[in-house]
Amino acid sequence: AQSVTQPDIHITVSEGASLELRCNYSYGATPYLFWYVQSPGQGLQLLLKYFSGDTLVQGIKGFEAEFKRSQSSFNLRKPSVHWSDAAEYFCAVGAPEYGNKLVFGAGTILRVKS
Amino acid sequence: DTEVTQTPKHLVMGMTNKKSLKCEQHMGHRAMYWYKQKAKKPPELMFVYSYEKLSINESVPSRFSPECPNSSLLNLHLHALQPEDSALYLCASSRDSGANVLTFGAGSRLTVL
């Protein structure tokens, strides 16, 4: 069965420091992948997506992610974190073979210290 | 218009009440979704409508009844809920039910007393 793993429940970084949030998936075929961000009590906002092509994708708010097929990973990165980036981040994966149903990881809560 | 609008933002109901959550989009999307999100958990898919027909029901209890009156509207009718149904209910839409980006609404926070 398909699964999405975000191994870090919480991450704390200093403002201005770099950030990497990990996402690993287990799918039988080439999936498509997303990163969403959620502020407390709010809906989910799309940061970036990967369907095919260039494995390094750029998103909004200065985020990027790299698809590594050999590692079944789609890690999210940002070179310099801002206090407003504090939120919960969800990796999500879908595939036509599974009815295009998105499966979300458990989420990573990002805290930013000044 | 690139938004999904959900009403109400907050709802408190008793276990014998009947209420409805509403969702609206004007992006011309033909797939609409209901997700349930418990505190500190990821969203879980409940229902998918594709071209106004129910295409996926993730074994959701019958006390939750979805309805898609037209391509822009999605309702979730609630009846005889349990306290454990308290959660954030998220609506989303996408161009179709294929491999597409989901646009989420801000959610309806439901509390069942």
Side-chain angles (χ1 to χ4, degrees):
Chain A
Q2 65 271 40
S3 67
V4 183
T5 302
Q6 292 180 246
D8 303 305
I9 298 174
H10 296 99
I11 282 187
T12 300
V13 299
S14 298
E15 191 169 15
S18 64
L19 171 70
E20 183 170 32
L21 303 183
R22 296 181 290 166
C23 174
N24 293 94
Y25 61 88
S26 173
Y27 268 70
T30 300
Y32 47 91
L33 305 115
F34 306 89
W35 276 98
Y36 282 90
V37 61
Q38 186 178 34
S39 296
Q42 298 296 311
L44 280 73
Q45 181 183 24
L46 178 72
L47 286 176
L48 45 77
K49 62 186 184 291
Y50 173 79
F51 285 90
S52 64
D54 192 346
T55 57
L56 183 64
V57 293
Q58 303 296 320
I60 62 171
K61 304 184 181 186
F63 285 93
E64 67 177 27
E66 186 170 12
F67 171 60
K68 293 187 177 181
R69 185 190 308 274
S70 62
Q71 298 176 19
S72 297
S73 69
F74 188 57
N75 294 347
L76 182 71
R77 300 193 294 250
K78 186 170 185 178
S80 177
V81 168
H82 188 263
W83 64 267
S84 61
D85 294 323
E88 188 161 17
Y89 292 79
F90 291 97
C91 179
V93 185
E97 293 83 350
Y98 298 101
N100 293 306
K101 291 192 293 185
L102 277 194
V103 175
F104 285 84
T108 298
I109 296 173
L110 172 65
R111 298 189 180 114
V112 180
K113 57 181 182 180
S114 55
Chain B
D1 189 350
T2 58
E3 287 187 346
V4 174
T5 304
Q6 291 188 242
T7 56
K9 292 192 184 320
H10 300 276
L11 178 63
V12 180
M13 60 185 291
M15 290 189 285
T16 58
N17 292 157
K18 287 185 181 181
K19 297 286 185 183
S20 297
L21 305 180
K22 298 185 183 301
C23 175
E24 188 169 6
Q25 57 88 14
H26 295 290
M27 294 178 281
H29 289 175
R30 302 312 301 268
M32 297 187 76
Y33 309 75
W34 280 114
Y35 282 82
K36 174 182 179 179
Q37 187 178 23
K38 300 282 282 183
K40 302 188 189 303
K41 296 291 186 184
E44 295 179 347
L45 182 65
M46 300 174 72
F47 303 104
V48 180
Y49 272 82
S50 178
Y51 290 85
E52 298 153 55
K53 292 192 186 326
L54 184 64
S55 60
I56 295 176
N57 176 343
E58 291 287 277
S59 303
V60 179
S62 60
R63 57 186 184 268
F64 294 91
S65 175
E67 178 195 21
C68 189
N70 59 55
S71 60
S72 299
L73 293 174
L74 183 66
N75 298 321
L76 186 63
H77 302 299
L78 314 170
H79 175 54
L81 294 193
Q82 303 297 310
E84 58 264 30
D85 296 321
S86 299
L88 182 68
Y89 288 83
L90 294 164
C91 175
S93 69
S94 64
R95 188 182 66 197
D96 56 44
S97 58
N100 289 299
V101 175
L102 268 61
T103 301
F104 283 86
S108 292
R109 173 75 60 188
L110 173 66
T111 302
V112 182
L113 301 177

